[in-house]
Amino acid sequence: MIVCIDGPAGAGKSTAARELARRLGFRFLDTGAMYRAVALAAVEAGLDLADEEELARFAQSQQIELSGDRVILNGQDVTGEIRTTRITSITHYAASNPAVRMQLVQLQRKAAGEDNIVTEGRDQGTVVFPQAECKFFLTASPEERARRRKQDLASRGEVVDYEEILRQQNLRDERDRSRDVGPLIPADDALHVTTDGRTPAEVMAELESIVRQKLVTQT
Ligand code: C5P
């Protein structure tokens, strides 16, 4: 079975997807990590990220692997590095590049193989796995998402002003929603789940029970 969790940044997708995969014994696919890894590799190579052709050519030469919870770029563990605000703010160059998206969509399908997976991103239920049996669209208000992001960054030693986080997040949402390729939109058959004012445990319980019901009806 393929479970897709799409939605805007900070809605709690990562935590939910990771834990859901663990509980179900499914593999977890963090597709945002792939776009982040391309951006990190490109900036480190001194590329002009706005040059679409150059970035697409470069991305093809990069080895990106998701190994459990780790993100490996050309043999190096970049799990922490890809999550900094610096990389977050430039990842849109990779995400809005049609040729890069095409490559990463292929990589995501290949990474999923025939396994049971929980995959998380923006276009999983619409573009990458339209045939998925179970699709969620996770949302929360911009303010709640920014508060969570602030806490998340603080836990990793990055102190960023709340207003700045909110501003960056609104910009990222707008870019994610308005791009021509793989935009952030719910699939027609996605179940909408709002996480405002709910604990991760409450959200998890809802998602898990829905997936388990689907698993039962499938067999
Ligand atoms: O989910 P995460 O915040 O790690 O994603 C980083 C960026 O990668 C997002 O802002 C989005 O622009 C892009 N992304 C995407 N498609 C996906 C996953 C992430 O465009 N499937």
Side-chain angles (χ1 to χ4, degrees):
M1 174 183 271
I2 297 177
V3 180
C4 299
I5 306 187
D6 289 306
K13 299 189 304 289
S14 262
T15 313
R18 196 170 268 119
E19 176 61 12
L20 188 61
R22 195 191 63 77
R23 290 192 190 185
L24 296 167
F26 285 18
R27 219 143 48 72
F28 166 55
L29 199 61
D30 175 357
T31 63
M34 294 179 173
Y35 290 92
R36 288 171 178 273
V38 169
L40 172 69
V43 79
E44 296 217 317
L47 242 68
D48 172 9
L49 276 76
D51 184 332
E52 287 200 351
E53 274 182 33
E54 198 186 352
L55 182 61
R57 222 181 0 257
F58 175 80
Q60 248 168 354
S61 67
Q62 301 303 297
Q63 275 277 336
I64 301 166
E65 289 160 66
L66 302 181
S67 168
D69 267 1
R70 315 310 295 173
V71 184
I72 314 294
L73 171 65
N74 301 320
Q76 282 212 331
D77 189 329
V78 294
T79 313
E81 246 178 301
I82 58 166
R83 306 250 156 240
T84 59
T85 45
R86 169 174 161 258
I87 299 304
T88 301
S89 67
I90 58 165
T91 298
H92 67 92
Y93 288 109
S96 64
N97 186 308
V100 170
R101 288 203 81 85
M102 215 146 70
Q103 285 174 42
L104 294 188
V105 165
Q106 295 307 329
L107 190 62
Q108 288 156 24
R109 290 182 182 144
K110 200 167 146 217
E114 299 297 311
D115 289 353
N116 288 322
I117 60 158
V118 178
T119 179
E120 180 241 310
R122 306 292 186 287
D123 59 347
Q124 300 301 288
T126 48
V127 175
V128 187
F129 302 107
Q131 79 286 12
E133 296 88 341
C134 192
K135 300 177 187 176
F136 295 108
F137 195 79
L138 232 61
T139 51
S141 70
E143 293 75 17
E144 171 123 4
R145 292 191 281 122
R147 269 195 298 278
R148 288 181 192 156
R149 174 109 183 115
K150 185 173 163 65
Q151 275 178 2
D152 186 38
L153 285 171
S155 73
R156 282 184 277 121
E158 256 199 273
V159 179
V160 188
D161 179 53
Y162 168 81
E163 293 298 332
E164 179 56 19
I165 291 176
L166 189 59
R167 199 183 65 75
Q168 292 283 344
Q169 182 186 271
N170 287 340
L171 181 67
R172 200 142 71 98
D173 284 354
E174 183 48 34
R175 282 188 175 130
D176 277 344
R177 288 194 182 106
S178 61
R179 68 170 166 254
D180 295 334
V181 282
L184 169 66
I185 37 159
D188 290 340
D189 52 349
L191 284 156
H192 291 244
V193 176
T194 307
T195 64
D196 276 286
R198 301 172 71 196
T199 64
E202 286 166 349
V203 175
M204 260 314 304
E206 180 181 354
L207 301 189
E208 187 182 1
S209 114
I210 292 169
V211 178
R212 288 202 186 276
Q213 272 170 32
K214 286 201 189 265
L215 278 170
V216 169
T217 52
Q218 248 198 356
T219 50

